[in-house]
Amino acid sequence: MAPHPFKILSVEETRLARDVILSLHPDVVVDFREIFLQEPNKELMKQYLEAEHAAQPGQSVHSKRPPRLAKCMYDIIGSDKVPEYHESLVDVETKKRVNHEVIGKEHQASLTLWEFEHLVQACKESEEFQAAIKEFQLPEGFELVVEPWPYGGLDATSENRRYFQGLCFGQDTRNGNPDSNFYAYPLPIIPVMDAHTRKICRIDRLATGGKGDSLTGKTHSPRILDHCQSAEYVPELVEGGTRKDMKPINITQPEGTSFKVSDESFVEWQKWSFRVSFNPREGAVLHDVRYEGRSIIYRLSISEMSVPYADARAPFHRKQAFDFGDGGAGNCANNLSLGCDCLGVIKYFDAVIVGSDGEPKEHPNVICLHEQDNGIGWKHTNWRTGRAVVTRLRELVIQFIITLANYEYVFAYKLDTAGGITLEVRATGIVSTVNIDPGKTSEYGNVVSGGVLAQNHQHIFAARLDPAIDGHNNTLLYEESHTAPWDKETNPNGNFYEIRKTIVNRSQGLDAAPEHNRTFKIINPNKKNKLSGNPVSYKFQPPATQKLLAAPGSLQYQRALFTQHHVWATKYQDNELYAAGRYTLQSQVEVGGVHDMVKRKDDITNEDLVLWSVFGLTHNPRVEDWPVMPSEIFQVHFKPSDFFERNPAIDVPSSKNQASVLAKDCCSSGQKL
Amino acid sequence: MAPHPFKILSVEETRLARDVILSLHPDVVVDFREIFLQEPNKELMKQYLEAEHAAQPGQSVHSKRPPRLAKCMYDIIGSDKVPEYHESLVDVETKKRVNHEVIGKEHQASLTLWEFEHLVQACKESEEFQAAIKEFQLPEGFELVVEPWPYGGLDATSENRRYFQGLCFGQDTRNGNPDSNFYAYPLPIIPVMDAHTRKICRIDRLATGGKGDSLTGKTHSPRILDHCQSAEYVPELVEGGTRKDMKPINITQPEGTSFKVSDESFVEWQKWSFRVSFNPREGAVLHDVRYEGRSIIYRLSISEMSVPYADARAPFHRKQAFDFGDGGAGNCANNLSLGCDCLGVIKYFDAVIVGSDGEPKEHPNVICLHEQDNGIGWKHTNWRTGRAVVTRLRELVIQFIITLANYEYVFAYKLDTAGGITLEVRATGIVSTVNIDPGKTSEYGNVVSGGVLAQNHQHIFAARLDPAIDGHNNTLLYEESHTAPWDKETNPNGNFYEIRKTIVNRSQGLDAAPEHNRTFKIINPNKKNKLSGNPVSYKFQPPATQKLLAAPGSLQYQRALFTQHHVWATKYQDNELYAAGRYTLQSQVEVGGVHDMVKRKDDITNEDLVLWSVFGLTHNPRVEDWPVMPSEIFQVHFKPSDFFERNPAIDVPSSKNQASVLAKDCCSSGQKL
């Protein structure tokens, strides 16, 4: 039986795609970047899903199966040694290439981790860089660490070539611990590599001044790390050791889980069902999310994020990561650990990645799935009878975690027993640091440790929601609540407020308006709730978080036009998955992102529409964010609104949990002293 | 040894206070309302706490102990039978009254639950009301339920007397279940009782029309419940039964809890310490919250909430509960159940309440305390070595739950291992309903079930935070992040954004401004963080929720002036605890609330200041809120900002939880079909 159309490519399918590509490009070097599933054309998939859900269990699906396509991304290096970036689609069943694009030089392919290794190697081999490092008199026992970064936005003045840069730190090796925290010892130097020549082509020197100092002044002494101090986070090195009085909290499911997973991708849980997949760019993606068989979402993903830094000094205007487009969130996904990344009974999912030779291998434990308790789901006590009925809010969590050099992000999709869908992002990891002279402070950030300036920055995320509220033809509207004017006939006592509805007719960017309780509803205009008479819908209130602060026209602004609205509504088109466009690495302006998509001004009423939710954090670091920052948690909630005919959790049992006990030994009624 | 000054009055102390009051008011009837601890004058308490924290364990505290005072609230009913409302302070050690107030007729005492019983009795005894009910031809087997409510705001045109009103419903008794949901069968009639005469003095008839109908038209037929339908929530009556496939999640602490409780009020957990108390008005209150002995909060409480309804038809302009001031959140607190209201290892706290005779009795399990896991606290993976260090975010939860007729609120204070303090409110329970004619819809709410209109309304909460950031002299400021102008010298690349700080010099109301990332910081201007040089502080971002929508000048607006800002900053004064003032029952305007407090325009820099956080929900009900609504969750986060010298959770151990296991039986790699 052929794999389900949403199932990721197997190792075998991946290898097959590679072999097709290699056979089509003889006599040249093929340097692979990615091979992953090209999701089916939606028209085909709609038919397939309809047939799939109409089929009886055990029966086969009576629908044409969409072709099984592999997206292959690779460089071709011919005799001129200049790599040329290609993208091909290979049908792994017919073993034929069905599409082939040679990408123009105006775009850069996403980076691969082995390009990062090239930078480290180039630094080692560069005499100029080695000499520059020698100028710093590192303390005894300290060694250089080069942290590869994307180059950031390409200045209009720079030649259009592929670059990488390295942030440099000293690492204290005297403790013999390879995980000693080098971010506490930043060096004010950045080597830049030309990716084609694999040579260091420039060395940027960084200013280390503070308030009142010029933007370019390099006021630091050669003994640049002497005023820095250790800031360890690995438990054996943490100053003062780890606390000893934290008793374990164990979460167990003695009767097993309430979820079922089949086909390594199909999940059923508490009336919900969906497919989960994983790709190198977006990480975990949910498909065909349904409740009691009713369609809610066709596809849900985290699409992009941008992290611009606000330090006015060059070259920090280029410091702006696009962690999905630049390097691929999926590529940076952690191998998750039992008992660490989540508690309880956990199902892990693996992915497949390729090396530069295109050889696939398993990328293990990239997604974890578990259920968890989130407190009281609903409760009512009849005060006459004294009877309380209380149920728990149960959630199913689909989580993946990425590491991007210093930072980590924990992404989770949570489905709950009340029909809700929550997107959660936790930002943690180590803030990006630069060296600052002793005793100085800066308007570009906060001094979080001796000599360590944590620069002000923003994290702006874009989630992509392709809804299918009881079908694919949906309409977006927003509702606001407004004070009604006094009126003898309609508002004689001034307590009436009116709900105003605005239909979003055309694709466009829209904003949060919490002062009006602005609530977006994705309705199916063709289906009414039997009780209320309103169209069935899911609603959400976009978090009113701050937008990108970089000035209009600046490189940071131009590259991240998707950050200019909290909500974007577009008409569905195949292959429009990325809020900031397909190519973000070294971009100068967002191309093909939501800002371009809405320009079509498509009619999106009673249409197949896509919603993009943009939210973020202006992160002006505090000392408490050092050396590893406590998770900053963001959530976006999608909730049914007249989609169901009652609270979908009303049938959740209110049974008493038998494992809960009274706290005894810890508690005495005696006085404190 | 005398009780700690923050400890609630014992049964004995309460009884003693009652006896003092009875001895002072001979020859009259004394109808008690409340007796509870009057917290000490702050100046005395500051000295006491200083001495307490300086004392060695086991030593006594070298400070004058503040007097132990009981606040006694009661009606005096003399020979004229007209109750007069008194408030007295009794020193339970000297057995003397130290203060006595006779409250003017312009204010109404908070209601007691036995006044609600009077209403039910009065309805039974009222021939007029009984005749009115007979006009409705209730279906066979249905019985009348009268749900007592506060009268709401007193119209300018009404006589200033004490009233109660009843919302009326039919209850289907054919299933023999006393918890059958009567809110599904609303009757369009409201009896009003004069509390002094205990007689029904008026019967309000409710309109049942929809869009286009007049505000007063009573278009309904006598068979007013025929178009209503059953909507049960108790498990044995739920349509379709409860789901059977939800497997238990057990939370256990085999090595015991990480918290210690002594003296039934003093809690220590993960470097935190505080006292917890409980009073009839505010419910659970935290006092003297410290981390590693450093003071953060003097007192933290939920101060008030208002729930105005937006139905333009009389008498709904009066429908506006003040659930703390009107009846007392503490009085309405649930007796919490093991394994239902929270999971794990739970410590419960009891309170003391009095009857109308002043006789005290235990109010059991009004607060629950437990620790819980809240996902990843911080994580970093060194991609060079592959080593991941991941710790959990652990929280200590202090929770109480109140039932107010149809609604419930779950209030929780959460302290966490990262030094954060979260206020959480969950709104659940049953939405307030009125009857609507068959087939109609309304602009005043949503039809959530046959004949049932759930009216649009708001819930607006006020929390009170009396900070003591490393001492009592604090300053409030807010920081905003703003796009900086392009400038060759200071912002040559347009990526710089500036942080603007504004000190709040005078007491005032302030608003959220998420578009500028407005962040309030409570700083101690006298103490600087050693690393950053900034004053130590705790910060918070007020949720930018919608304010009260009722029109300026309306009764709803006037009564809840506290809802006009997201943040109020006032100078501390003893006895200023209530955002909407001491007396809210039947108020016409907010008196003595935050709106009045800020009029003093006190200098609040480097002073003992108090912060009030106002947030809420515009609740336009959806069908999914019926018959019991899924919890709507609100959180306000207070976080250290340069208060500590590193992430306070950096020493949380990263040990692997040994109880977590792989999901196996639930998962098959086989195909779905």
Side-chain angles (χ1 to χ4, degrees), chain A residues 527-546:
Chain A
K527 194 170 167 208
K528 288 201 174 359
N529 183 290
K530 270 201 292 194
L531 297 167
S532 70
N534 292 322
V536 296
S537 87
Y538 261 67
K539 68 174 181 177
F540 91 109
Q541 288 192 316
T545 53
Q546 191 168 36

Side-chain angles (χ1 to χ4, degrees), chain B residues 219-503:
Chain B
T219 53
H220 53 78
S221 79
R223 297 204 58 87
I224 191 69
L225 299 184
D226 285 9
H227 65 303
C228 298
Q229 65 199 58
S230 139
E232 303 294 359
Y233 67 90
V234 294
E236 66 275 23
L237 296 181
V238 158
E239 198 188 328
T242 55
R243 55 181 84 179
K244 308 292 177 233
D245 59 347
M246 188 176 265
K247 305 291 174 62
I249 288 180
N250 290 345
I251 298 176
T252 58
Q253 297 203 270
E255 297 176 23
T257 64
S258 316
F259 59 78
K260 273 190 239 170
V261 180
S262 45
D263 197 18
E264 284 299 321
S265 61
F266 183 69
V267 182
E268 294 166 284
W269 176 78
Q270 295 298 309
K271 307 185 187 180
W272 290 95
S273 71
F274 60 91
R275 291 264 170 186
V276 59
S277 76
F278 193 88
N279 69 64
R281 178 150 174 162
E282 299 157 288
V285 175
L286 303 194
H287 307 266
D288 193 27
V289 181
R290 289 171 185 254
Y291 192 96
E292 286 184 321
R294 289 173 67 190
S295 165
I296 297 169
I297 294 179
Y298 179 75
R299 189 181 196 276
L300 180 61
S301 58
I302 315 293
S303 177
E304 190 52 272
M305 56 181 287
S306 186
V307 186
Y309 284 78
D311 193 322
R313 301 169 298 183
F316 300 122
H317 60 296
R318 282 198 281 100
K319 195 170 178 183
Q320 179 183 28
F322 287 79
D323 292 309
F324 285 61
D326 283 0
N331 283 324
C332 302
N334 292 189
N335 178 344
L336 302 173
S337 282
L338 195 59
C340 301
D341 296 298
C342 29
L343 305 186
V345 184
I346 319 295
K347 162 70 183 169
Y348 292 98
F349 295 89
D350 303 327
V352 172
I353 50 169
V354 297
S356 64
D357 56 1
E359 181 58 28
K361 62 171 183 178
E362 272 204 348
H363 192 185
N365 291 9
V366 289
I367 305 174
C368 60
L369 174 83
H370 74 287
E371 40 183 342
Q372 68 187 22
D373 178 86
N374 183 11
I376 290 175
W378 57 263
K379 178 172 189 177
H380 182 60
T381 301
N382 183 342
W383 61 268
R384 286 162 195 75
T385 64
R387 178 162 175 196
V389 181
V390 51
T391 69
R392 310 294 302 173
L393 179 61
R394 184 76 68 95
E395 296 174 331
L396 185 73
V397 183
I398 304 101
Q399 179 175 272
F400 67 106
I401 305 178
I402 63 177
T403 296
L404 305 152
N406 51 305
Y407 255 117
E408 353 278 311
Y409 300 93
V410 182
F411 295 101
Y413 306 104
K414 298 182 178 181
L415 309 180
D416 67 47
T417 40
I421 299 168
T422 298
L423 276 177
E424 184 181 278
V425 183
R426 293 181 186 225
T428 177
I430 300 180
V431 288
S432 187
T433 58
V434 295
N435 199 300
I436 183 168
D437 299 336
K440 293 184 179 172
T441 58
S442 172
E443 50 190 334
Y444 307 132
N446 201 15
V447 178
V448 296
S449 182
V452 173
L453 179 69
Q455 293 164 313
N456 297 334
H457 59 283
Q458 297 185 280
H459 306 254
I460 303 186
F461 303 90
R464 180 180 179 278
L465 173 76
D466 182 351
I469 305 298
D470 267 335
H472 297 275
N473 281 13
N474 293 165
T475 296
L476 181 68
L477 58 82
Y478 59 84
E479 285 185 6
E480 296 180 346
S481 297
H482 285 268
T483 296
W486 287 90
D487 181 281
K488 221 184 283 179
E489 298 301 317
T490 62
N491 189 21
N493 299 301
N495 65 310
F496 173 53
Y497 65 80
E498 55 187 332
I499 299 178
R500 295 186 196 156
K501 295 184 198 213
T502 307
I503 288 177

Side-chain angles (χ1 to χ4, degrees), chain A residues 106 144 264 266 321 450 462 490 579 586 589 658:
Chain A
E106 70 278 17
L144 171 72
E264 283 300 321
F266 183 68
T490 62
Q586 288 181 212
V589 64
Q658 299 298 333

Side-chain angles (χ1 to χ4, degrees), chain A residues 107 281 304-306 320 322 462 548 554-565 568 570 578-599 612 614:
Chain A
H107 297 305
R281 178 149 175 164
E304 190 52 272
M305 55 181 289
S306 186
Q320 180 184 24
F322 287 78
L548 190 89
S554 65
L555 193 54
Q556 289 187 353
Y557 180 99
Q558 291 295 110
R559 301 181 74 202
L561 297 172
F562 78 94
T563 63
Q564 294 310 311
H565 288 292
W568 299 85
T570 61
Y578 309 132
R582 270 167 82 184
Y583 304 103
T584 62
L585 194 78
Q586 288 181 212
S587 66
Q588 292 177 298
V589 64
E590 183 182 300
V591 174
V594 284
H595 192 265
D596 282 340
M597 295 175 205
V598 300
K599 283 184 190 156
W612 311 71
V614 175

Side-chain angles (χ1 to χ4, degrees), chain A residues 499-513:
Chain A
I499 299 178
R500 294 187 198 156
K501 295 183 198 211
T502 307
I503 288 176
V504 180
N505 286 305
R506 300 265 162 201
S507 58
Q508 61 192 277
L510 297 138
D511 289 318

Side-chain angles (χ1 to χ4, degrees), chain A residues 193-501:
Chain A
M193 176 185 79
D194 181 315
H196 297 173
T197 64
R198 296 195 192 168
K199 302 276 183 218
I200 300 302
C201 58
R202 197 174 79 233
I203 294 173
D204 289 340
R205 307 285 182 145
L206 307 181
T208 59
K211 279 178 191 158
D213 290 333
S214 87
L215 293 194
T216 52
K218 281 96 192 165
T219 54
H220 53 75
S221 78
R223 296 203 59 86
I224 192 69
L225 299 183
D226 285 10
H227 64 303
C228 298
Q229 65 200 58
S230 135
E232 303 293 0
Y233 68 91
V234 293
E236 67 273 24
L237 295 181
V238 159
E239 199 189 327
T242 55
R243 55 181 82 179
K244 307 291 176 234
D245 59 348
M246 187 174 266
K247 306 289 175 63
I249 288 179
N250 290 344
I251 298 176
T252 57
Q253 296 202 268
E255 297 176 25
T257 64
S258 317
F259 60 77
K260 273 190 238 167
V261 180
S262 45
D263 198 17
E264 283 300 321
S265 62
F266 183 68
V267 183
E268 294 167 284
W269 176 78
Q270 295 298 305
K271 307 185 186 179
W272 290 96
S273 70
F274 59 93
R275 291 266 169 184
V276 59
S277 76
F278 193 88
N279 70 64
R281 178 149 175 164
E282 299 158 288
V285 175
L286 303 193
H287 306 266
D288 192 28
V289 181
R290 290 171 184 252
Y291 191 97
E292 286 184 320
R294 288 173 68 192
S295 164
I296 297 169
I297 293 178
Y298 179 75
R299 190 181 196 275
L300 180 61
S301 58
I302 315 292
S303 176
E304 190 52 272
M305 55 181 289
S306 186
V307 186
Y309 284 77
D311 193 323
R313 301 169 298 183
F316 300 122
H317 60 295
R318 280 198 282 103
K319 197 172 176 182
Q320 180 184 24
F322 287 78
D323 292 310
F324 285 60
D326 282 0
N331 283 325
C332 301
N334 291 190
N335 177 344
L336 302 173
S337 280
L338 195 59
C340 301
D341 296 298
C342 30
L343 305 186
V345 183
I346 320 297
K347 161 71 184 169
Y348 293 97
F349 294 88
D350 304 327
V352 172
I353 49 170
V354 298
S356 64
D357 56 1
E359 180 58 29
K361 63 172 181 177
E362 273 207 348
H363 192 186
N365 290 9
V366 287
I367 305 175
C368 59
L369 174 82
H370 74 289
E371 40 183 343
Q372 67 187 23
D373 178 86
N374 183 11
I376 289 175
W378 57 264
K379 179 173 188 177
H380 182 59
T381 301
N382 183 343
W383 61 268
R384 288 160 193 78
T385 63
R387 177 163 176 197
V389 181
V390 51
T391 68
R392 311 294 302 173
L393 180 60
R394 184 77 66 94
E395 296 173 333
L396 185 73
V397 184
I398 304 99
Q399 180 175 272
F400 68 106
I401 305 177
I402 62 177
T403 296
L404 306 152
N406 52 305
Y407 254 116
E408 353 277 312
Y409 300 93
V410 182
F411 295 100
Y413 307 102
K414 298 181 177 181
L415 310 180
D416 67 48
T417 39
I421 300 167
T422 298
L423 276 178
E424 184 181 279
V425 183
R426 293 182 185 224
T428 178
I430 300 181
V431 289
S432 186
T433 59
V434 294
N435 200 299
I436 183 168
D437 298 337
K440 292 185 180 172
T441 59
S442 171
E443 51 191 334
Y444 307 133
N446 202 14
V447 178
V448 296
S449 183
V452 173
L453 180 68
Q455 292 164 315
N456 296 333
H457 59 283
Q458 297 185 281
H459 306 253
I460 303 185
F461 304 91
R464 181 181 180 278
L465 173 76
D466 182 351
I469 305 297
D470 266 335
H472 296 275
N473 280 12
N474 293 167
T475 296
L476 181 69
L477 58 82
Y478 58 86
E479 285 186 6
E480 297 181 345
S481 296
H482 285 269
T483 296
W486 287 89
D487 181 283
K488 222 183 286 179
E489 298 302 317
T490 62
N491 188 21
N493 299 300
N495 66 311
F496 173 54
Y497 65 79
E498 55 187 332
I499 299 178
R500 294 187 198 156
K501 295 183 198 211

